[in-house]
Amino acid sequence: MSTSGQQQFRYTQTPSKVLHLRNLPWDCSDEELVELCKPFGKIVNTKCNVGANRNQAFVEFADLNQAINMVSYYASSSEPAQVRGKTVYIQYSNRNEIVNNQSPGDVPGNVLLVTIEGVEAGDVSIDVIHLVFSAFGFVQKIATFEKAAGFQALIQFSDVGTASAAREALDGRSIPKYLLPEHVNHCHLRISYSAHTDLNIKFQSHRSRDFTNPYLPVNPTAMEGLLQPVVGPDGKKKEPESNVLFASLENMQYAVTVDVLHTVFSAFGTVQKIAIFEKNGQTQALIQYPDLTTAAAAKDALEGHCIYDGGYCKLHLSYSRHTDLNVQAYSDKSRDYTVPESSLLAMQQASAVHAPPAVWHNPQSGPAESSAGYGAASVPGQAPTSHSSSWNPNLQGGGSTFPLAPTRYPGHSYAPPVPGYATAVNPPGSSQQINHNATDGRPFSVSQPFHPSTMPPGAVPPPGHAPYHGY
DNA sequence: AGCACA
């Protein structure tokens, strides 16, 4: 112990495959280091521009003997080691490997910093970002912002492994064109790691989202920009938008329950509230989302389509004048998913004890099978042909099944609903027609992965998704 | 000219 503090200044250091080089040019490059050292062996790592004067460096050889060769050579050479004419002093490092040759953005973490090049903030919605990154695991939080570097997003995964998988797969790639507005030509992702581990999302808004906390309040000021009249890509003014959709249902061959609507509309984001009512013999419903963007995506994708195959329960969607529904938290015809979790759980338990939990596990109503939609979460069926150079693991090999889609439902076996969700829903931004003719009884395809935060109490989260209960 | 990085 008495010599440890001095050992580094002695010539008797123990050999290491890492060499410490001094008196280098302040702007010495890795290439110059390699040029100097490679005659003696294989260099596996370097770190240059070290120290206050940036004139030191480390070089790591693959093998200890190679480092010894270099030190021995220059110890007895008449010509000193040189870089650009400067004598370079070489010693064994007191470490056995170069421990960190990474810039901060390369230090792995569970939060990714994504720069989306070639777009403006309005071109890529949080939902698109969420869809893209959800391919790799549960996305906990997203915050977007505009900086000099461009449009950026912080994307929080639950763990480093998932984040690095997403980075590996997506860095330098592009968001598929079909997820972007038509005027966007290129959209490269530059991904590094953020130093953050847990983003502090204050509100659900068009700029930020916390998928672990569906009850987070919606920021009214964050919504203001979206409440302006919107001009569509075709230049036409759209009707006043709202975060609440008004649905009128045609051809009500089957009962449409709150849970069915929840399943269908949750494909696009957190559904906050639902109310069903009858007017002039027609079934109507109001579906509340936290934001306009989500409502618009749902409206665009679902308008004119049928909940059930065969033209039954056809949806006509428009924007409601309401922005915040006042509904009974838990009734036959309405649901408030924003009421505190404890209340929901209490109600759920009460219903489990005193009555069959028909709303969650409804065996009779076939099409009302609440879990049906969860088996259906998939990347759009058009995917395999629409982007052959796909980066998305879901879209490769012609398969279009979303990896997070569950295949089993503990507690009851999954059977395709009768008559089954057969409505294929287009991805946001797509102008293609929806396939009305699917008759294979498979659950419908949705353009978004199901958000775990939108699952009804008692539902089983898809594998890899944490249930929101407990957050 | 004498040991980095978080």
Side-chain angles (χ1 to χ4, degrees):
Chain A
M1 60 159 93
S2 60
T3 57
S4 62
Q6 298 163 355
Q7 195 167 19
Q8 64 184 2
F9 299 110
R10 298 191 174 188
Y11 290 101
T12 54
Q13 294 168 106
T14 53
S16 163
K17 58 184 162 62
V18 180
L19 299 183
H20 176 223
L21 314 186
R22 291 174 283 125
N23 202 35
L24 292 156
W26 67 275
D27 58 346
C28 179
S29 68
D30 289 308
E31 288 72 24
E32 287 173 300
L33 291 177
V34 171
E35 279 305 307
L36 176 68
C37 302
K38 74 178 181 191
F40 302 93
K42 181 178 180 186
I43 291 109
V44 296
N45 207 350
T46 60
K47 182 164 189 63
C48 56
N49 317 122
V50 163
N53 297 326
R54 294 170 51 91
N55 57 1
Q56 301 174 42
F58 297 91
V59 172
E60 180 177 339
F61 283 96
D63 190 86
L64 176 63
N65 288 328
Q66 297 167 347
I68 292 173
N69 283 345
M70 184 164 181
V71 171
S72 310
Y73 176 85
Y74 284 113
S76 58
S77 168
S78 54
E79 287 289 312
Q82 290 188 331
V83 169
R84 293 186 225 163
K86 292 186 73 176
T87 296
V88 177
Y89 300 88
I90 304 172
Q91 299 175 278
Y92 296 114
S93 171
N94 54 19
R95 302 195 192 181
N96 207 30
E97 57 187 358
I98 293 178
V99 294
N100 197 350
N101 199 29
Q102 297 171 319
S103 61
D106 288 328
V107 178
N110 65 315
V111 179
L112 298 178
L113 172 61
V114 179
T115 303
I116 306 173
E117 297 174 341
V119 300
E120 294 173 70
D123 293 336
V124 184
S125 70
I126 277 191
D127 296 298
V128 166
I129 296 170
H130 183 245
L131 172 64
V132 167
F133 283 85
S134 290
F136 303 90
F138 177 41
V139 173
Q140 293 182 325
K141 302 177 183 179
I142 296 178
T144 65
F145 46 92
E146 280 189 284
K147 281 275 179 71
F151 183 42
Q152 293 189 309
L154 288 164
I155 297 170
Q156 178 174 332
F157 287 98
S158 46
D159 60 280
V160 179
T162 314
S164 58
R167 184 181 123 117
E168 280 306 303
L170 297 180
D171 191 18
R173 312 302 292 266
S174 292
I175 294 177
K177 270 216 170 79
Y178 73 96
L179 290 173
L180 299 169
E182 279 179 25
H183 67 271
V184 175
N185 291 319
H186 61 288
C187 180
H188 292 294
L189 302 174
R190 293 287 166 221
I191 305 179
S192 60
Y193 293 102
S194 164
H196 291 94
T197 57
D198 190 21
L199 304 176
N200 186 12
I201 308 289
K202 296 256 174 47
F203 301 99
Q204 311 284 21
S205 78
H206 64 297
R207 319 189 133 277
S208 65
R209 211 68 66 76
D210 181 344
F211 299 98
T212 69
N213 182 6
Y215 306 128
L216 200 63
V218 174
N219 183 3
T221 59
M223 306 311 300
E224 272 173 17
L226 291 170
L227 286 166
Q228 316 292 327
V230 175
V231 178
D234 49 3
K236 277 187 279 186
K237 284 253 180 9
K238 293 178 176 174
E239 58 181 309
E241 297 189 37
S242 167
N243 60 312
V244 178
L245 294 179
F246 173 80
S248 57
L249 286 120
E250 238 179 70
N251 204 0
M252 289 286 291
Q253 183 79 11
Y254 302 96
V256 171
T257 63
V258 170
D259 294 291
V260 169
L261 290 178
H262 184 262
T263 300
V264 170
F265 283 86
S266 288
F268 306 90
T270 305
V271 171
Q272 292 183 320
K273 301 176 186 179
I274 292 177
I276 302 176
F277 47 95
E278 299 273 323
K279 200 167 188 178
N280 306 326
Q282 219 203 1
T283 303
Q284 302 180 333
L286 292 164
I287 299 98
Q288 178 174 336
Y289 286 107
D291 58 72
L292 292 170
T293 322
T294 314
K299 178 175 176 291
D300 288 348
L302 293 173
E303 166 56 34
H305 301 293
C306 303
I307 295 179
Y308 303 125
D309 193 17
Y312 302 126
C313 308
K314 186 172 183 178
L315 285 165
H316 288 286
L317 295 170
S318 59
Y319 294 111
S320 167
R321 294 179 305 276
H322 296 88
T323 56
D324 191 12
L325 304 176
N326 190 8
V327 299
Q328 277 188 59
Y330 193 91
S331 83
D332 201 17
K333 294 291 176 191
S334 69
R335 201 69 43 91
D336 185 344
Y337 301 95
T338 67
V339 299
E341 180 182 316
S342 52
S343 318
L344 268 182
L345 284 173
M347 281 183 281
Q348 190 190 344
Q349 281 155 8
S351 76
V353 169
H354 301 299
V359 286
W360 307 125
H361 307 283
N362 190 336
Q364 287 104 332
S365 60
E369 170 62 52
S370 68
S371 62
Y374 293 101
S378 70
V379 166
Q382 306 89 325
T385 52
S386 58
H387 32 75
S388 51
S389 63
S390 168
W391 42 261
N392 190 328
N394 308 315
L395 305 178
Q396 284 171 346
S400 61
T401 304
F402 197 79
L404 302 180
T407 55
R408 62 187 174 82
Y409 296 88
H412 64 284
S413 60
Y414 173 79
V418 181
Y421 293 100
T423 309
V425 180
N426 278 338
S430 166
S431 59
Q432 291 164 26
Q433 258 312 306
I434 289 178
N435 173 18
H436 290 269
N437 303 321
T439 52
D440 59 4
R442 280 188 297 115
F444 71 163
S445 298
V446 298
S447 60
Q448 303 272 327
F450 280 85
H451 300 196
S453 58
T454 61
M455 289 192 301
V460 179
H465 280 191
Y468 68 83
H469 297 294
Y471 280 100

